[in-house]
Amino acid sequence: MASAAAPDHLFNLRINFYLGSYQSAINNSDLPNLSPDDAVERDCLVYRSYIALGSYQLVINEIDSSAATPLQAVKLLAKYLANPHDKESTIASLKEWLADPAIGNNATLRLIAGIVFMYEEDYIEALKHTNAGGTMELHALNVQIFIKMHRSDYAEKQLRVMQQVDEDHTLTQLANAWLNLAVGGSKIQEAYLIFQDFSEKYPMTGLILNGKAVCCMHMGNFDEAETLLLEALNKASSNGGNQIFISLDLNL
């Protein structure tokens, strides 16, 4: 008889992070009985939530040089975003770590590399580190990169991989919505229904509201789009952050 799957202690934390509920992710991160690997992933999600809220210096200050490689990668992202005038040295450090055979294949490091090079609009370099996949976040980032390259055909192939792994995964649904928006036409309504489903299942966030608003604008429903965007801006200001227009680039 097959043994039952181990409980996923980070499930709710991941959902909060993926859907842009960053403060909730931070506030509900005190989770007991985590394995060492889960504790590192938890800390990465919490610090990436702080980054999404613009608290770069907090992340830089709290992650010290003895932290695990995934946390060091997250710190590097905070440095990149906090010091745009000194990004060359941050990118040089990133490339040095990626070239290190001991840590270069770490999934979080490759994810951060993909995010940084996507910000740099160096999509080919980003794909060098993300295209092999390995995690749902890496596949989702690949979808984003291919959409930015106007290659919805390749983005669709990545989405198919995600659907084969877990069709109901939050990131699979998000990637499906992004691709539908990129393709346009009748697919816009499908994207809207995905964001609507999120809004019915989970607390409303700026990310969900923004997604619905973009769909409404594509469909010519500008009054509804304005209402959604005003609500999203209100949520952003009440949270004291700028997460409303942080696209899913920062979530991945």
Side-chain angles (χ1 to χ4, degrees), residues 25-222:
I26 294 165
N27 293 345
N28 296 286
S29 61
D30 188 11
L31 303 170
N33 305 317
L34 294 180
S35 69
D37 285 347
D38 279 351
V40 170
E41 184 179 352
R42 183 268 314 275
D43 291 346
C44 284
L45 290 167
V46 168
Y47 285 125
R48 288 168 67 194
S49 295
Y50 277 118
I51 289 173
L53 292 170
S55 299
Y56 310 135
Q57 201 58 48
L58 179 149
V59 176
I60 294 167
N61 291 343
E62 289 198 4
I63 299 177
D64 63 32
S65 58
S66 65
T69 297
L71 286 164
Q72 295 292 346
V74 172
K75 181 176 182 177
L76 207 59
L77 176 61
K79 285 184 174 180
Y80 171 82
L81 294 169
N83 301 294
H85 302 300
D86 190 32
K87 63 183 182 182
E88 287 78 12
S89 63
T90 305
I91 292 172
S93 296
L94 179 60
K95 288 182 175 179
E96 183 179 339
W97 294 2
L98 289 164
D100 185 340
I103 62 172
N105 200 40
N106 180 271
T108 303
L109 178 59
R110 292 193 292 120
L111 180 73
I112 298 303
I115 292 170
V116 168
F117 289 119
M118 187 167 68
Y119 273 123
E120 292 293 301
E121 299 184 357
D122 189 348
Y123 303 128
I124 301 303
E125 184 66 26
L127 287 169
K128 285 181 184 177
H129 308 292
T130 64
N131 200 37
T135 70
M136 293 298 274
E137 282 199 272
L138 282 164
H139 287 304
L141 184 57
N142 284 334
V143 171
Q144 279 199 311
I145 293 168
F146 284 128
I147 289 173
K148 286 181 177 291
M149 295 173 72
H150 306 290
R151 292 305 305 262
S152 57
D153 52 339
Y154 284 110
E156 184 173 2
K157 289 179 182 178
Q158 284 292 315
L159 177 60
R160 296 288 171 261
V161 172
M162 297 177 74
Q163 290 171 330
Q164 288 171 7
V165 174
D166 186 350
E167 190 170 12
D168 296 323
H169 196 287
T170 303
L171 287 177
T172 305
Q173 294 300 310
L174 277 172
N176 199 357
W178 305 334
L179 182 58
N180 286 338
L181 280 168
V183 172
S186 62
K187 292 291 186 180
I188 300 297
Q189 180 65 27
E190 293 180 30
Y192 181 87
L193 291 174
I194 291 172
F195 288 115
Q196 180 63 28
D197 186 54
F198 284 143
S199 69
E200 293 172 358
K201 287 182 178 177
Y202 305 107
M204 194 67 81
T205 66
L207 187 151
I208 295 171
L209 289 162
N210 200 28
K212 290 177 70 175
V214 172
C215 293
C216 286
M217 286 187 281
H218 276 285
M219 294 186 291
N221 301 332
F222 296 106

